[in-house]
Amino acid sequence: MMFITVFGQKGGVAKTCSSVHIAASWSRRQKRVILVDADRNRSATAYGARGLLPCPVVPIEAAAKATRAAEIVVTDGQASSNEEEMKNLVEGADFILLPTTTQSRSIELTVEMSQMLKQYRIPYAALLVKVDARKESSADQAAELLQGFDITVLKARIPLLSAFEQAETEGVTVDQATDKRGRANPRRMTGWLAYCDASQEIEDLVNEHREQNPVESPIGWDFTPLEHRLAA
């Protein structure tokens, strides 16, 4: 089971959009995924209100029961810098995703949050979002700045697309976005594939962290699969 929490200290950094699309990309790969809405604004719940997303969206109050059979739980966290709120969500996560724009204030807030996250020893990474294709150099500079503070930056970059707004209005993922005339947005797949790449990077980072930090079993407990113990 894998628990991913998406954090943001301010609005406008595509936090909910990232939560929805990361969850959806795994769901489309036949994973059992639940998207938990822990934001007081219930943004993810509103996004999925039409029931058109490939995975269920549940409020955090219903998460305990709803996530029992899930393979992956993605939590759309509160847009806040409150350390107590962050601690509560971090303690239940295997990985923290920090959507970040190329704007200086967004970068500063991500750096601040990373300093708080270091004490929890949970892997985390920044995801550059709303990247203008005409200003790739700004994204390069943002990535370099973040890496200078020892922050892992995903290679995937989420492009700035009107298709994301269209998708949210329709309650679908960006690959299904259409314009007012019902025509498919020509650039929608670049956004979708970017999130698919990001989800794969996250999965790889979680697996790498687990290999480097194996969970020690309590004394006397044997978690070796039964068939392996019988064979021995």
Side-chain angles (χ1 to χ4, degrees), residues 164-177:
F164 282 117
E165 295 179 5
Q166 295 166 353
E168 183 173 359
T169 299
E170 298 165 14
V172 298
T173 49
V174 70
D175 57 310
Q176 299 178 337

Side-chain angles (χ1 to χ4, degrees), residues 158-215:
I158 310 306
L160 177 65
L161 299 175
S162 60
F164 282 117
E165 295 179 5
Q166 295 166 353
E168 183 173 359
T169 299
E170 298 165 14
V172 298
T173 49
V174 70
D175 57 310
Q176 299 178 337
T178 57
D179 61 21
K180 293 180 180 179
R181 298 182 180 180
R183 297 175 301 187
N185 188 297
R187 296 190 61 202
R188 69 193 189 285
M189 292 307 298
T190 60
W192 172 250
L193 293 175
Y195 272 118
C196 288
D197 289 343
S199 67
Q200 185 59 60
E201 286 188 74
I202 292 168
E203 192 169 350
D204 291 343
L205 287 170
V206 170
N207 289 334
E208 180 182 338
H209 179 76
R210 286 176 172 173
E211 289 176 1
Q212 295 175 354
N213 301 273
V215 177

Side-chain angles (χ1 to χ4, degrees), residues 39-72:
D39 192 323
R40 284 190 292 269
N41 294 327
R42 291 292 186 260
S43 302
T45 300
Y47 196 129
R50 296 188 182 185
L52 301 177
L53 295 177
C55 61
V57 181
V58 300
I60 192 168
E61 295 82 1
K65 183 177 181 180
T67 60
R68 287 176 184 171
E71 294 176 89
I72 301 175

Side-chain angles (χ1 to χ4, degrees), residues 126-127 153-157 201:
L127 171 65
V153 181
L154 299 187
K155 295 178 182 177
R157 293 178 178 178
E201 286 188 74

